[in-house]
Amino acid sequence: MKLFLDFSIEVVMKFRMLEAKLRNYKNGYDSERRHRMSAKFWRSCAILGASSNIPDTQSSQGILLFAFVCQGGRAQVQNQSYTLIEPELIFNFHLPRQQYVGKVRFSHFDTQLQSSKKVLVATESNVFAALNSRTGELFWRHVDKTGPEGNIDALLHHAQDAVLVVGNGRMLRSWDINVGGLNWEMLLDTGSFRSACLVGQQGIVKHVAVLKKTVISAHYLSNGHQKWVENLPESETVDYQTMYSGGNGQVFVLGIVPHSHITIVVYSMEDGEIIKQVSIEAPWLSNIPASCAVVGQGMLMCVDSTTMSLNTLDLHQQLQMTRIPLQSLGLEVDPDFHPSLVSHQPNPAQNPLSEFFLQLGPERYLLLQLNNGQIVTLRDFKPALLSSFVTTGEKTVAAVMSPKNKTACSINLFSSDTGRRLLDTTLIFTVDPNGGKPERLHVQAFLKKDDSVGYRVMVQTEDHTLTFIQQPGRVMWTREEALSDVVTMEMVDLPLTGTQAELEGEFGKKADGLLSMVLKRLSSQLIMLQAWIAHLWKLFYDARKPRSQVKNEVSIENLSRDEFNLQKMMVMVTSSGKLFGIDSKTGGILWRHYLDNVPKNAAFKLMVQRTTAHFPHPPQCTLLIKDKDTGLATLHVFNPIFGRKSQVTPPALPQPILQSLLLPLMDQDYAKVLLLVDDQYKVSAFPSTKNVLQQLQETASSIFFFLVDSSQGRLSGYRLRTASSSFHIDLSTEQVWEVIIPTEVQMIVSVKGKRPNEHVHSQGRVMGDRSVLYKYLNPNLLAVVTESTDVHQERSFIGILLIDGVTGRIIHEAVQRKARGPVHVVHSENWVVYEYWSTKSRRNEFSVIELYEGMELYNSTVFSSLDRPHAPQVLQQSYIFPSSISTMEATLTEKGITSRHLLIGLPSGGILSLPKMFLDPRRPEIISEQSREENLIPYSPELIIRTEWFINYNQTVGRVRGIHTAPSGLESTCLVVAYGLDIYQTRVYPSKQFDVLKDDYDYMLISSVLFALFFATMISKRLAEVKLLNRAWR
Amino acid sequence: MHKRKDTKKNGRMELHIRDSGDESAFQEAKHEVQVSFPEQQASFLKRAEEKTRRSGKREERKQNCYLVAMARLLPFNVAVIYIVLLFICANLVSCNNGRRVGDPLEAELSGFSVPLEHSFELDDVAKFQSRGSLLLKTGREPSVSVTQNQLSEDERSKLKEVAAVDGLYRIRVPRVFLQADRQTEWQMDGYLTAFVRACAMVESHLSDVITLHTDVSGYLIGVSIVTLPGACRGMEVEDEVDLEVFNTTLSIMAPVNAPGPETALFLERMEQESEKKGKNPQEQKSFFAKYWYLILGGAIFLMLTNSAQPPAGGGREQS
């Protein structure tokens, strides 16, 4: 019977597939391609049967893909069957995504076992993760909501539990750190979070206490249930800030009335009863966590920066504060520095150590000891950058980082009891000149076999980099966490190889005589021949080695463009101000550069001023960094291939900058001209050589630009003006048009132009009756999206304005009623696609607007915004989309022949490649012969997400924030980078690889047929000659 | 709509009134008038206007309407008859070319007039001067009409000079709110501006298309101007009289409602299709209903052939 079942299932499957195939035929359009595809499909199924001997790691991949094939079996089958034949190719094309966690806020080393390899990190990107301390890879990662809702307030770690307080005290969660599973989760009462701590009793930690503004609650560590909750006394006047528990079943809550007194409330852990409540005068104190620490047997130690003294208070006796002036300890204090204290409590069930650090200056730490009310200086560290306590077993040591020279710091361990330096504990940390200064020190200590203390450190620097170092200074791994927040990026072509560049350089130089030119040509061709022979030799040499051993290590020295320009340099700008150059083929970071003067809320704009095409001039990128508050901007000019700062000095920008625009004009060194408009409407050019200014003067009347002031709803157009005096040419602007959208009704949320490097191959669309519908291809068109200020679901709307950026003419104005943002817009060719939330139907909807000139072109040779009197025809259609989206971008190819796809980043982490033909306002509601002729898909209101459209398979990209597309040298291929918390790079083929021969292309057959034909012609020619001759003889 | 009334009295006078129609032929005719008898026409129209006002009859103004009067000779008594005729078709009259406006018109029942200003300067520094006034009718369906000044001789020559140096011809209208009931409410500070190249203005013989754009709630948000033809070909405009009278096509545009997904129609179509399918029960059968005998036959065949040996599980590998 079992056999029967197996068989029938199989038959069902086969018939289902056949049915699906037949249905595809019935659908009718593009049946030939479908035929080819389904042939491929069956072949791929057959191949899987044959490829069962692929290695273990890859077979799972293959089978997984096969599941995809069987599910969908339509659009991208060809691609997948390709990967089935050579499974390793998938790793070349689709880089495994790079996963990041963000800037580390809390970190703990797992100390349960000596051999444990886990580092727990909670970050400012609301991520909680465990890193492998040997390799730096992620064990597991939990990504919470963005914004304050998912903000991690505290991380407490005990044994194999990690307790997190999330979202300003909204949620209490416990995670099992071994597997990363959730133990329990509790929703807490409302109230803003103040502090959390583990509470131990008789050496065992059983509870966790959470202090909020008005309430303190205790929870069991095992299941999260609330043990008790108590209102804090006088919480209106007293600001309770911190908690302390010394392991004796009492919880001390410390509150303060600023500049008046400290309030101490002691709760019993058993039932939450108030044991004691005292107030102690402390008029100099304003913030407990910033200036106090609990040391030793419950002694509160506070530092007073005005009188430069330490104040101690016994929390158990609570008599009064004892003042110890720092001068009595023989210490002098930097008057501008606010000193701080660091104590260490190795176990929440025990008292803290009586030793503590006092930071007296930016580079000065003191190790002090509280001994029977007396403070003893154990050691003075000067200079010292960072310090930290760490406990392993019974031993506690202090790690101190001190600067050694400009490029290196040394870290040493000191005994915490005596302040003596431990032998053989020096570790050298090399400061990256392109990185930031060290910011935090996370130390992992362990006991060696001889009972001495060994350690490793994780250094966190200002540029969000984590570096894990082992003695004596070997870097085990680094994580560039700045890449978790990429703001903008560009893909730059790699330079030519030396020989190619040599050849190119020949044309670049000025001609100097016929003979020298010939000689130069000969020499460069000799060099090329040499390189070719070397290449052949390398091929021959590599062919003998097994394939896995051939490694193409990419380094900054051997970077060169490949045949099809598929490998590019990804220049990424992160919000921390660190720039990266990443090789798109391997994902390796080739250069990094940290800009240390970047303001916190900076806006970035990256522009490629000169590409690699102009050898011997180096490529040049310019980064505009603008402070959002003041509007003041700086320019950073660098070489995108090597990351080095350029020799060119950018102009100083004393005025706030309103707008920057990169003109297609070039100076004599082939650098595109960057214009910067300041708030006085004065324009400065960069580079501003005489040549540039002359060109600008000639073309000024045709340089238009626009400014958007969304706070006033003002869109205004300007024209460049030049005023030349005898010495220099002044650039200014004049306003030529103005459109004002009243802010009482709607707000401008985004303005999208077209990408300047976009090419459109076809000016029109061939209709079913063989006539041509011409596209309205206005390169100056702007799509302005507005949202209504009224958010009521019946009255809210979204406005779409299409405005010509040169003349300010409103080409089209549409209103999507009962809709709300966030709106995602893509504007390209002659279409605008936008996505919004429909409040009426409570769903996400896509809408597409297409513009056509009609059956005749007004002026087919040139497009001028100033001479297009007729308004275009506007077509629009909307669709239901079953998911919300995070970001959207269109594919881009070299010449624009390939059909377009929309790349949609979904909140689930998938990246969907949606063919544009599904978003086409000409999709007919009733199918006619003509629409079938035109290959139009019949209209259906819903866009279905097909699983085979996901281009990243199972490699989900966390919190995808942007997608960057760039053309490659192959027309069929578009390079895609998705960035967010993770970075993922791949290639897409919207029209399949029509310009690439398949790797199963039968060269032998074709060439043998060719040869056969050739010989047949030769022979028959010969025979014919002989026959003619014979006939002539007759 | 295309209405044409030809009346011949004494064989001397023609009257053409059009609501809207093919403009090219129409404009030619108009130019003829403007070239030949500008002053007579103007004086006649002015008289007609005064008469209209005196009679106190309100005219309902419609958008995109043109009045063209063609008069060869104009004795006074004929003019009186003509005015009577004018009243007959007064409800179709809306805008008026080549009229000198002394003072701005009184606000209509639910409308008001705002100045339309233009500027064309050699140094491209905007100095706006009155070009005419726009009569805006507020309400649910706003409409607009225009009364415009003629260009003086100085202005004509200046416009030609500006065109020669490729300067700009700018217009501006004040920001207004079209849904307001009272006059105090429609005024807002600021202007909306637009431009064309002055040469395009000259070469099109002052034929321009001005569009006013409003937003959903009736605020004027933008103005655009294009000329027909729009190109600058460097044609010399010989006769200065061509540049005297504006030939303006004016419209007001409110945003269109973008369509939502059309589910109703689609569902209807689906139902129709399923009805069609329902008529053919053969198609509706399930997979097992269609092929049960094949499956059963195959199963029996396999059981018979394989009953001797235990199942090898080889069948699965093929998938």
Side-chain angles (χ1 to χ4, degrees):
Chain A
M1 201 55 211
K2 186 178 167 286
L3 176 86
F4 172 74
L5 269 179
D6 282 354
F7 176 72
S8 60
I9 287 166
E10 196 188 315
V11 170
V12 170
M13 252 185 81
K14 284 234 160 138
F15 270 97
R16 282 262 160 89
M17 285 176 192
L18 264 176
E19 260 195 344
K21 210 174 93 181
L22 285 173
R23 210 182 314 129
N24 294 346
Y25 278 125
K26 275 182 200 161
N27 273 357
Y29 59 88
D30 213 0
S31 65
E32 196 193 298
R33 199 187 64 194
R34 211 156 280 292
H35 176 76
R36 213 179 61 224
M37 253 153 51
S38 54
K40 272 274 185 195
F41 170 48
W42 289 112
R43 196 167 45 189
S44 69
C45 290
I47 286 161
L48 188 83
S51 65
S52 55
N53 57 348
I54 46 178
D56 273 355
T57 49
Q58 288 162 1
S59 68
S60 61
Q61 189 79 38
I63 283 158
L64 189 103
L65 284 170
F66 180 65
F68 269 109
V69 172
C70 287
Q71 264 179 32
R74 271 167 80 171
Q76 290 203 330
V77 169
Q78 192 185 337
N79 189 6
Q80 282 154 7
S81 70
Y82 191 63
T83 52
L84 278 174
I85 299 163
E86 269 188 284
E88 77 230 70
L89 276 175
I90 193 170
F91 299 111
N92 291 345
F93 288 178
H94 309 262
L95 276 181
R97 78 202 135 158
Q98 298 184 354
Q99 290 187 307
Y100 297 95
V101 293
K103 188 188 179 186
V104 173
R105 182 180 286 165
F106 306 107
S107 82
H108 280 280
F109 285 93
D110 181 15
T111 48
Q112 286 179 79
L113 295 164
Q114 284 285 349
S115 59
S116 177
K117 295 187 286 192
K118 280 195 188 67
V119 194
L120 300 176
V121 288
T123 69
E124 296 189 351
S125 311
N126 305 352
V127 173
F128 177 49
L131 304 175
N132 184 335
S133 64
R134 301 285 188 278
T135 61
E137 280 158 13
L138 287 174
F139 277 118
W140 44 260
R141 182 180 79 170
H142 294 287
V143 182
D144 209 330
K145 288 174 189 159
T146 48
E149 245 184 302
N151 186 43
I152 298 172
D153 301 318
L155 166 64
L156 305 169
H157 174 217
H158 177 73
Q160 56 173 342
D161 295 327
V163 179
L164 289 182
V165 184
V166 177
N168 201 9
R170 185 179 55 91
M171 206 65 110
L172 189 66
R173 289 203 186 104
S174 167
W175 300 91
D176 184 313
I177 62 165
N178 288 332
V179 291
L182 184 69
N183 289 330
W184 48 261
E185 178 181 80
M186 292 303 282
L187 199 65
L188 297 183
D189 296 335
T190 51
S192 58
F193 174 79
R194 287 288 183 269
S195 171
C197 75
L198 294 166
V199 184
Q201 224 169 337
Q202 285 128 25
I204 308 158
V205 181
K206 273 188 178 168
H207 302 104
V208 55
V210 179
L211 178 71
K212 292 192 161 191
K213 194 171 184 298
T214 55
V215 155
I216 179 171
S217 59
H219 299 261
Y220 292 100
L221 198 58
S222 54
N223 54 16
H225 290 308
Q226 200 170 54
K227 183 168 174 155
W228 49 261
V229 57
E230 292 295 330
N231 283 323
L232 294 164
E234 298 162 39
S235 59
E236 311 86 56
T237 51
V238 184
D239 182 14
Y240 291 97
Q241 289 181 327
T242 185
M243 260 188 313
Y244 159 74
S245 162
N248 53 359
Q250 290 179 347
V251 182
F252 294 81
V253 178
L254 309 176
I256 189 169
V257 177
H259 308 295
S260 170
H261 60 269
I262 301 178
T263 302
I264 300 167
V265 188
V266 188
Y267 284 93
S268 157
M269 199 58 228
E270 285 303 313
D271 47 7
E273 209 177 294
I274 295 178
I275 297 172
K276 231 189 258 177
Q277 184 181 349
V278 239
S279 290
I280 290 149
E281 287 290 310
W284 44 270
L285 192 63
S286 61
N287 189 343
I288 301 176
S291 42
C292 299
V294 181
V295 177
Q297 308 281 339
M299 294 291 280
L300 182 70
M301 181 82 69
C302 291
V303 59
D304 177 9
S305 55
T306 49
T307 59
M308 291 303 166
S309 57
L310 285 172
N311 297 272
T312 56
L313 171 71
D314 194 329
L315 288 175
H316 296 280
Q317 291 167 6
Q318 295 138 349
L319 295 169
Q320 64 175 61
M321 285 218 155
T322 322
R323 171 164 299 199
I324 306 165
L326 285 173
Q327 275 178 337
S328 71
L329 300 169
L331 298 170
E332 276 179 31
V333 189
D334 194 345
D336 301 329
F337 189 79
H338 183 79
S340 62
L341 292 164
V342 179
S343 68
H344 182 61
Q345 188 175 13
N347 187 341
Q350 287 166 9
N351 280 320
L353 296 180
S354 53
E355 292 82 21
F356 58 97
F357 273 116
L358 171 66
Q359 189 182 6
L360 277 181
E363 291 204 353
R364 188 174 181 198
Y365 286 86
L366 284 167
L367 182 62
L368 304 177
Q369 189 179 42
L370 184 71
N371 200 348
N372 296 327
Q374 297 295 311
I375 292 175
V376 184
T377 310
L378 291 178
R379 200 177 176 111
D380 187 354
F381 299 102
K382 192 180 175 184
L385 293 172
L386 299 165
S387 69
S388 172
F389 281 111
V390 63
T391 305
T392 177
E394 294 301 308
K395 286 188 180 175
T396 299
V397 289
V400 177
M401 176 190 265
S402 41
K404 205 174 167 197
N405 51 39
K406 268 190 177 172
T407 58
C409 293
S410 67
I411 302 165
N412 281 297
L413 287 192
F414 298 88
S415 159
S416 67
D417 316 331
T418 58
R420 216 177 292 132
R421 195 171 81 89
L422 300 178
L423 286 176
D424 297 330
T425 55
T426 308
L427 188 152
I428 306 295
F429 170 68
T430 324
V431 181
D432 186 357
N434 293 321
K437 291 195 198 84
E439 203 173 45
R440 276 174 72 181
L441 201 61
H442 310 273
V443 186
Q444 181 190 27
F446 51 88
L447 288 175
K448 290 182 186 166
K449 276 177 188 146
D450 57 353
D451 218 29
S452 65
V453 181
Y455 73 117
R456 304 182 190 97
V457 287
M458 186 166 78
V459 183
Q460 186 181 347
T461 46
E462 282 171 339
D463 53 342
H464 306 186
T465 308
L466 293 178
T467 314
F468 198 84
I469 314 166
Q470 205 177 24
Q471 268 181 289
R474 193 171 71 88
V475 175
M476 292 174 78
W477 48 264
T478 50
R479 285 184 69 89
E480 294 287 358
E481 291 303 338
L483 281 171
S484 70
D485 199 2
V486 175
V487 185
T488 176
M489 66 168 292
E490 279 291 340
M491 286 182 112
V492 184
D493 293 349
L494 291 177
L496 301 161
T497 54
T499 51
Q500 284 168 322
E502 178 76 24
L503 202 65
E504 287 284 321
E506 200 180 309
F507 300 108
K509 283 163 200 153
K510 288 193 180 89
D512 42 10
L514 191 67
L515 190 72
S516 65
M517 286 287 275
V518 169
L519 282 178
K520 201 181 270 176
R521 160 60 59 91
L522 283 178
S523 74
S524 60
Q525 278 181 343
L526 204 70
I527 292 168
M528 283 181 80
L529 186 74
Q530 205 179 339
W532 185 64
I533 292 168
H535 175 72
L536 279 187
W537 172 248
K538 190 170 178 288
L539 271 186
F540 174 72
Y541 191 75
D542 285 346
R544 292 188 302 174
K545 280 197 267 184
R547 218 172 166 185
S548 56
Q549 282 185 16
V550 182
K551 270 187 193 162
N552 286 323
E553 277 292 311
V554 178
S555 71
I556 209 147
E557 283 77 32
N558 61 11
L559 270 183
S560 66
R561 201 179 299 179
D562 58 334
E563 277 169 278
F564 298 119
N565 202 3
L566 291 166
Q567 187 182 0
K568 293 202 180 197
M569 178 68 85
M570 310 197 287
V571 179
M572 292 189 149
V573 180
T574 63
S575 64
S576 67
K578 198 168 188 185
L579 313 181
F580 291 90
I582 299 175
D583 171 38
S584 76
K585 193 179 176 189
T586 58
I589 296 170
L590 296 181
W591 58 262
R592 58 204 95 191
H593 187 86
Y594 179 61
L595 304 170
D596 45 8
N597 49 1
V598 172
K600 265 261 182 281
N601 56 347
F604 298 90
K605 189 175 175 187
L606 182 62
M607 289 154 286
V608 183
Q609 276 198 298
R610 181 164 53 218
T611 60
T612 34
H614 306 287
F615 189 82
H617 301 289
Q620 183 178 322
C621 273
T622 302
L623 180 68
L624 179 73
I625 307 153
K626 181 177 158 184
D627 191 318
K628 273 183 194 159
D629 294 337
T630 61
L632 288 172
T634 49
L635 288 175
H636 175 67
V637 187
F638 62 100
N639 180 333
I641 302 300
F642 303 110
R644 282 194 291 265
K645 198 170 173 177
S646 172
Q647 312 287 326
V648 187
T649 42
L653 306 167
Q655 293 287 336
I657 295 297
L658 294 178
Q659 173 76 293
S660 67
L661 56 161
L662 198 63
L663 298 180
L665 292 179
M666 287 188 191
D667 72 345
Q668 69 271 32
D669 292 340
Y670 306 101
K672 283 185 189 163
V673 177
L674 177 69
L675 290 187
L676 297 156
V677 186
D678 65 22
D679 64 344
Q680 307 293 315
Y681 300 101
K682 286 260 176 295
V683 179
S684 49
F686 169 66
S688 59
T689 56
K690 207 169 180 187
N691 177 311
V692 169
L693 291 174
Q694 258 170 5
Q695 283 189 61
L696 281 176
Q697 197 176 16
E698 282 158 23
T699 52
S701 65
S702 58
I703 297 174
F704 293 85
F705 60 93
F706 67 96
L707 295 177
V708 184
D709 182 353
S710 59
S711 65
Q712 293 178 31
R714 191 183 296 265
L715 285 150
S716 38
Y718 293 84
R719 186 163 85 154
L720 195 66
R721 270 174 82 110
T722 51
S724 57
S725 60
S726 52
F727 295 107
H728 62 287
I729 299 165
D730 251 352
L731 297 171
S732 62
T733 60
E734 56 175 337
Q735 194 181 21
V736 289
W737 58 267
E738 192 160 34
V739 166
I740 303 169
I741 298 164
T743 46
E744 302 95 81
V745 185
Q746 47 192 341
M747 293 286 285
I748 299 172
V749 288
S750 82
V751 177
K752 278 252 176 155
K754 288 178 188 175
R755 293 187 50 175
N757 56 348
E758 179 183 274
H759 292 272
V760 180
H761 180 70
S762 158
Q763 278 203 314
R765 280 177 68 164
V766 182
M767 315 274 283
D769 57 1
R770 301 282 171 229
S771 61
V772 178
L773 183 62
Y774 287 99
K775 295 173 185 170
Y776 179 77
L777 297 168
N778 183 350
N780 309 318
L781 197 67
L782 306 172
V784 180
V785 180
T786 60
E787 275 181 44
S788 62
T789 43
D790 192 347
V791 289
H792 186 270
Q793 63 169 35
E794 284 295 315
R795 295 187 296 271
S796 68
F797 65 87
I798 281 167
I800 307 287
L801 272 102
L802 302 181
I803 295 183
D804 189 304
V806 171
T807 63
R809 186 181 175 198
I810 299 177
I811 304 284
H812 182 64
E813 194 186 353
V815 165
Q816 197 87 45
R817 303 228 178 231
K818 291 173 187 165
R820 191 152 43 90
V823 187
H824 297 92
V825 198
V826 172
H827 183 190
S828 177
E829 274 187 54
N830 64 328
W831 47 265
V832 179
V833 171
Y834 59 93
E835 188 262 5
Y836 57 91
W837 171 258
S838 165
T839 51
K840 186 189 167 200
S841 317
R842 295 169 185 280
R843 64 193 176 200
N844 291 92
E845 290 178 3
F846 262 99
S847 196
V848 56
I849 298 176
E850 286 196 0
L851 303 170
Y852 291 99
E853 290 219 347
M855 293 304 181
E856 276 172 35
L857 268 184
Y858 180 78
N859 178 355
S860 59
T861 46
V862 216
F863 186 94
S864 165
S865 286
L866 296 167
D867 178 20
R868 281 280 140 148
H870 304 294
Q873 299 172 12
V874 182
L875 303 174
Q876 188 166 13
Q877 216 171 48
S878 300
Y879 314 89
I880 304 162
F881 194 67
S883 164
S884 66
I885 71 170
S886 304
T887 183
M888 185 158 67
E889 187 57 86
T891 59
L892 192 68
T893 52
E894 182 84 14
K895 296 271 179 270
I897 300 168
T898 310
S899 61
R900 309 293 292 270
H901 276 202
L902 286 176
L903 299 167
I904 300 165
L906 303 179
S908 62
I911 294 161
L912 194 72
S913 179
L914 178 70
K916 169 69 181 56
M917 71 196 295
F918 283 90
L919 291 164
D920 181 354
R922 302 192 60 252
R923 282 176 70 175
E925 261 152 32
I926 294 140
I927 312 147
S928 67
E929 199 53 52
Q930 293 210 342
S931 66
R932 197 169 295 156
E933 182 77 25
E934 219 186 310
N935 279 346
L936 291 176
I937 307 161
Y939 179 75
S940 70
E942 195 177 16
L943 293 171
I944 297 159
I945 295 180
R946 300 199 182 149
T947 40
E948 71 266 21
W949 284 347
F950 285 104
I951 56 168
N952 54 345
Y953 306 108
N954 60 345
Q955 304 268 305
T956 52
V957 185
R959 274 193 211 143
V960 52
R961 208 171 31 246
I963 295 175
H964 182 87
T965 53
S968 72
L970 282 174
E971 170 54 33
S972 64
T973 309
C974 170
L975 305 176
V976 178
V977 184
Y979 54 87
L981 192 59
D982 303 339
I983 294 175
Y984 178 74
Q985 196 266 325
T986 188
R987 300 170 192 174
V988 288
Y989 316 99
S991 298
K992 309 285 172 312
Q993 286 180 289
F994 61 84
D995 52 0
V996 179
L997 285 180
K998 305 282 172 303
D999 60 340
D1000 57 351
Y1001 183 78
D1002 207 337
Y1003 295 95
M1004 280 303 285
L1005 185 75
I1006 294 286
S1007 48
S1008 57
V1009 165
L1010 266 177
F1011 276 115
L1013 280 173
F1014 178 72
F1015 284 118
T1017 343
M1018 295 283 281
I1019 292 163
S1020 57
K1021 196 179 170 190
R1022 176 77 192 141
L1023 287 176
E1025 271 172 14
V1026 170
K1027 202 172 180 183
L1028 268 177
L1029 193 68
N1030 286 343
R1031 194 180 292 163
W1033 275 110
R1034 228 175 263 155
Chain B
M1 207 163 129
H2 183 128
K3 216 170 197 175
R4 184 171 202 161
K5 217 174 235 178
D6 289 10
T7 318
K8 271 197 174 176
K9 286 267 162 124
N10 300 339
R12 300 208 159 175
M13 199 173 64
E14 282 176 319
L15 176 68
H16 299 250
I17 293 176
R18 288 171 184 238
D19 198 342
S20 66
D22 58 329
E23 286 165 21
S24 53
F26 174 51
Q27 276 169 15
E28 265 172 37
K30 189 162 51 182
H31 281 164
E32 209 179 297
V33 177
Q34 286 159 359
V35 171
S36 51
F37 301 102
E39 278 165 359
Q40 282 174 4
Q41 190 197 17
S43 63
F44 156 67
L45 288 171
K46 197 169 179 183
R47 256 174 278 145
E49 171 69 32
E50 276 167 13
K51 191 99 181 181
T52 317
R53 220 186 289 169
R54 234 178 286 134
S55 68
K57 189 169 177 177
R58 298 275 175 205
E59 289 172 5
E60 194 190 339
R61 289 169 192 276
K62 275 198 170 180
Q63 183 186 328
N64 288 341
C65 290
Y66 295 92
L67 164 78
V68 165
M70 246 191 196
R72 302 252 159 71
L73 279 167
L74 213 65
F76 183 72
N77 58 339
V78 180
V80 175
I81 301 162
Y82 183 72
I83 288 161
V84 174
L85 250 169
L86 191 85
F87 282 133
I88 296 168
C89 3
N91 59 336
L92 289 162
V93 175
S94 73
C95 58
N96 209 342
N97 285 310
R99 179 181 54 186
R100 284 211 176 271
V101 183
D103 45 353
L105 285 175
E106 303 156 12
E108 297 255 339
L109 185 66
S110 58
F112 49 86
S113 78
V114 291
L116 169 66
E117 292 168 298
H118 62 177
S119 152
F120 43 93
E121 298 292 328
L122 276 170
D123 56 354
D124 262 349
V125 177
K127 273 185 215 140
F128 284 97
Q129 287 163 339
S130 170
R131 168 173 158 175
S133 62
L134 298 169
L135 272 146
L136 294 156
K137 185 175 160 283
T138 60
R140 288 275 342 118
E141 278 180 24
S143 65
V144 64
S145 57
V146 65
T147 51
Q148 297 188 95
N149 307 345
Q150 281 187 345
L151 285 185
S152 69
E153 194 152 350
D154 289 352
E155 287 171 327
R156 286 194 298 255
S157 58
K158 193 165 82 178
L159 183 61
K160 280 180 98 173
E161 278 172 35
V162 172
V165 297
D166 196 14
L168 302 184
Y169 175 85
R170 303 152 190 260
I171 57 163
R172 77 171 184 191
V173 290
R175 294 175 64 201
V176 288
F177 180 45
L178 293 181
Q179 302 290 332
D181 300 327
R182 277 167 294 144
Q183 195 164 5
T184 48
E185 281 177 18
W186 55 259
Q187 281 171 327
M188 295 164 80
D189 55 331
Y191 287 91
L192 306 168
T193 51
F195 74 99
V196 282
R197 290 163 78 185
C199 57
M201 206 66 195
V202 171
E203 284 179 33
S204 66
H205 302 247
L206 303 188
S207 311
D208 54 357
V209 181
I210 297 177
T211 314
L212 301 172
H213 297 268
T214 65
D215 73 350
V216 199
S217 46
Y219 287 101
L220 211 59
I221 59 165
V223 59
S224 69
I225 177 169
V226 288
T227 59
L228 273 171
C232 281
R233 296 204 172 77
M235 280 192 308
E236 196 62 34
V237 178
E238 289 297 332
D239 206 332
E240 290 241 320
V241 190
D242 272 358
L243 298 178
E244 202 165 61
V245 183
F246 287 103
N247 171 21
T248 306
T249 311
L250 196 64
S251 61
I252 190 158
M253 301 265 277
V256 296
N257 274 337
E262 285 192 36
T263 39
L265 230 138
F266 181 75
L267 287 176
E268 210 173 281
R269 215 182 69 217
M270 290 293 280
E271 264 171 33
Q272 280 174 2
E273 267 177 30
S274 64
E275 266 174 36
K276 262 185 216 165
K277 264 190 185 167
K279 282 171 193 163
N280 192 354
Q282 192 65 37
E283 299 258 321
Q284 293 295 88
K285 276 188 177 175
S286 75
F287 176 77
F288 278 102
K290 272 191 259 181
Y291 302 111
W292 66 271
Y293 49 90
L294 278 179
I295 295 164
L296 192 69
I300 290 168
F301 176 74
L302 264 190
M303 278 172 96
L304 287 176
T305 49
N306 280 17
S307 56
Q309 32 187 288
R316 267 193 164 260
E317 280 178 8
Q318 283 174 15
S319 63

